[in-house]
């Protein structure tokens, strides 16, 4: 197939593009290479993709309406995997307008491109953060997600609603994937694993919010990407049994679906730190802090629907995944 992968220089986007290329698909990778974190890391991810046959890079901002329309008209993609966004719960407290531009305007431009060029299937990234204030665990796609705790989460939930509107109005097949705390080699420097590793190796204290007692459904990037690829191949269909008098948030009469994509094995942050310490062979100095604004106390993905739909089965243990990250970090940054 010929695919567009947005956010191709990002963490998950780079892995997804690599996986599609490995099976022989043609991939156009889009990214604006913004400075939210170290651009050199994004460029290094991109260099690995540009070395592969079948890959072309388009440096473009999702919010560029004319540029996005021209790209879709020129390339005529069969399917689109929309992973580009302004990420980060905490940063959305500081720069909410950036989230409107990247996440809302950017997703609208993707939806318009897919509609006008009759793309077969749009798969897009959402987040576990949409569950917000809910404490009903494990989180299920069938429960309401209407109380976001951060503006980031609010924009991603809005993207889901925008996708449904386009599915309903124009018959555009859309599938949203709610990612749960993705980690692994080539990860984002603003994520806990990256920050903790850097600090421990530098002999600096790590900041542990909520005293480390919250749980996260940490999911290894290879497991995530396997799910992304499988769901891209499964074009969303309308649910004939959908009932407007008792509407299921995860499906519709329109060709629209939402799935959780996580490990289904939540880990307490303190345990995560212990595994990292063992992999590094060093103990962390911990600075215990209260919960940060916008953070959820716990996350736990119910992935039964994705397992039933495409055979999704996350396999990577936290010990193996963190170990892989530490080996990559030491090699990439040449530290011991």
């Amino acid at each position: 197939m010929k695919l567009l992968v947005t956010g191709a220089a990002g963490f998950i986007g780079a892995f997804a593009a690599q996986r599609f290329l490995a099976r022989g698909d043609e991939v156009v990778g889009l990214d604006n290479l913004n400075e939210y974190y170290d651009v050199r890391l994004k460029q290094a991810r991109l260099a690995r993709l540009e070395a592969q046959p079948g890959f072309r890079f388009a440096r473009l901002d999702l919010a560029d309406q004319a540029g996005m329309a021209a790209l879709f008209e020129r390339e005529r993609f069969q399917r689109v995997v929309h992973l580009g966004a302004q990420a980060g719960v905490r940063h959305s407290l500081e720069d909410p307008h950036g989230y409107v531009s990247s996440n809302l305007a950017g997703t609208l431009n993707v939806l318009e491109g897919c509609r006008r060029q009759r793309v077969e299937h749009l798969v897009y990234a959402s987040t576990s953060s949409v569950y917000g204030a809910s404490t009903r665990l494990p989180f299920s796609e069938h429960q309401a997600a209407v109380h976001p705790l951060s503006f980031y989460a609010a924009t991603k939930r809005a993207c889901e609603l925008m996708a449904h509107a386009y599915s309903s109005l124009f018959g555009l097949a859309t599938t949203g994937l709610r990612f749960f705390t993705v980690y692994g080699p080539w990860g984002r420097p603003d994520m806990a694993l990256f920050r903790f590793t850097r600090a421990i190796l530098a002999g600096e204290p790590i900041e542990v919010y909520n005293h480390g007692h919250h749980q996260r459904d940490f999911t290894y990037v290879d497991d995530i990407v396997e799910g992304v690829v499988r769901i891209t191949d499964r074009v969303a269909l309308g649910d004939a049994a959908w009932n407007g008098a008792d509407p299921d948030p995860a499906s519709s009469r329109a060709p629209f679906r939402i799935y959780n994509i996580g490990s289904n094995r939540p880990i307490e942050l303190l345990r995560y730190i212990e595994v990292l310490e063992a992999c590094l062979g060093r103990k962390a100095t911990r600075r215990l802090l209260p919960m940060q604004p916008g953070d959820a106390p716990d996350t736990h993905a119910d992935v039964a629907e994705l397992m039933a739909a495409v055979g999704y089965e996350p396999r990577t243990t936290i010990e193996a995944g963190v170990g892989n990250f530490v080996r990559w970090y030491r090699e990439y940054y040449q530290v011991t």
Side-chain angles (χ1 to χ4, degrees):
M1 294 185 293
K2 184 177 185 178
L3 300 108
L4 171 66
V5 176
T6 72
F11 175 33
I12 303 172
F15 272 87
Q18 181 66 53
R19 178 69 171 78
F20 285 118
L21 290 167
R23 71 176 196 174
D25 292 325
E26 180 184 354
V27 175
V28 175
L30 179 150
D31 208 291
N32 67 353
L33 298 176
N34 69 22
E35 296 182 354
Y36 171 59
Y37 61 81
D38 187 359
V39 175
R40 292 170 298 179
L41 179 58
K42 298 180 182 184
Q43 291 169 332
R45 296 187 191 119
L46 187 58
R48 298 172 74 228
L49 294 173
E50 290 180 317
Q52 303 296 315
F55 180 81
R56 287 180 290 117
F57 178 59
R59 183 165 185 174
L60 184 63
D61 194 311
L62 289 167
D64 180 347
Q65 182 178 343
M68 291 293 291
L71 177 72
F72 272 88
E73 185 174 2
R74 180 173 67 249
E75 297 290 353
R76 304 297 175 105
F77 304 108
Q78 291 171 265
R79 300 189 186 178
V80 172
V81 180
H82 177 37
L83 304 175
Q86 179 58 61
V89 168
R90 293 160 193 162
H91 187 63
S92 68
L93 277 68
E94 302 169 9
D95 181 27
H97 292 92
Y99 289 73
V100 170
S101 176
S102 294
N103 299 1
L104 298 183
T107 296
L108 176 58
N109 289 335
V110 170
L111 287 164
E112 272 292 282
C114 290
R115 170 176 82 96
R116 293 185 181 278
Q117 301 306 325
R118 302 184 181 276
V119 167
E120 297 169 354
H121 191 198
L122 167 63
V123 176
Y124 61 94
S126 188
T127 172
S128 62
S129 296
V130 300
Y131 291 109
S134 175
T135 57
R136 179 180 161 193
L137 298 173
F139 292 141
S140 167
E141 308 94 325
H142 303 294
Q143 69 189 73
V146 293
H147 295 93
L149 294 175
S150 69
F151 189 66
Y152 164 67
T155 63
K156 297 302 276 186
R157 179 66 180 126
C159 290
E160 294 179 351
L161 299 175
M162 291 160 61
H164 182 267
Y166 270 68
S167 294
S168 181
L169 289 168
F170 308 116
L172 172 64
T174 67
T175 299
L177 294 173
R178 290 174 175 168
F179 293 131
F180 281 70
T181 316
V182 188
Y183 75 100
W186 297 94
R188 283 189 4 231
D190 61 323
M191 298 294 284
L193 182 58
F194 209 113
R195 292 187 291 108
F196 290 168
T197 299
R198 182 168 50 204
I200 293 169
L201 289 175
E204 299 169 353
I206 62 173
E207 295 183 337
V208 183
Y209 294 101
N210 196 35
H211 297 255
H213 293 304
H214 54 286
Q215 296 190 7
R216 289 289 180 268
D217 201 309
F218 293 104
T219 314
Y220 191 64
V221 63
D222 284 350
D223 292 330
I224 284 281
V225 167
E226 181 64 26
V228 170
V229 171
R230 290 189 182 203
I231 210 66
T232 301
D233 290 341
R234 182 185 173 91
V235 178
L237 300 172
D239 181 0
W242 193 84
N243 180 4
D246 184 21
D248 177 4
S251 63
S252 173
R253 288 195 185 95
F256 165 90
R257 290 302 304 263
I258 289 177
Y259 296 100
N260 289 335
I261 182 164
S263 70
N264 194 33
R265 295 187 298 270
I267 302 290
E268 189 175 54
L269 184 58
L270 290 176
R271 173 58 186 158
Y272 195 57
I273 294 169
E274 288 173 357
V275 172
L276 176 59
E277 290 172 329
C279 292
L280 289 171
R282 301 189 189 186
K283 286 289 186 180
T285 301
R286 306 177 189 187
R287 184 177 171 217
L288 302 179
L289 298 168
M291 181 75 79
Q292 280 212 314
D295 278 355
D298 300 295
T299 65
H300 180 183
D302 180 344
V303 295
E305 292 289 343
L306 192 58
M307 293 175 70
V310 295
Y312 172 73
E313 187 177 356
R315 300 176 182 272
T316 309
T317 66
I318 202 75
E319 293 81 6
V322 171
N324 290 343
F325 172 83
V326 167
R327 282 188 290 275
W328 167 81
Y329 187 97
R330 282 179 157 148
E331 179 180 353
Y332 183 79
Y333 289 102
Q334 298 183 341
V335 294
T336 56

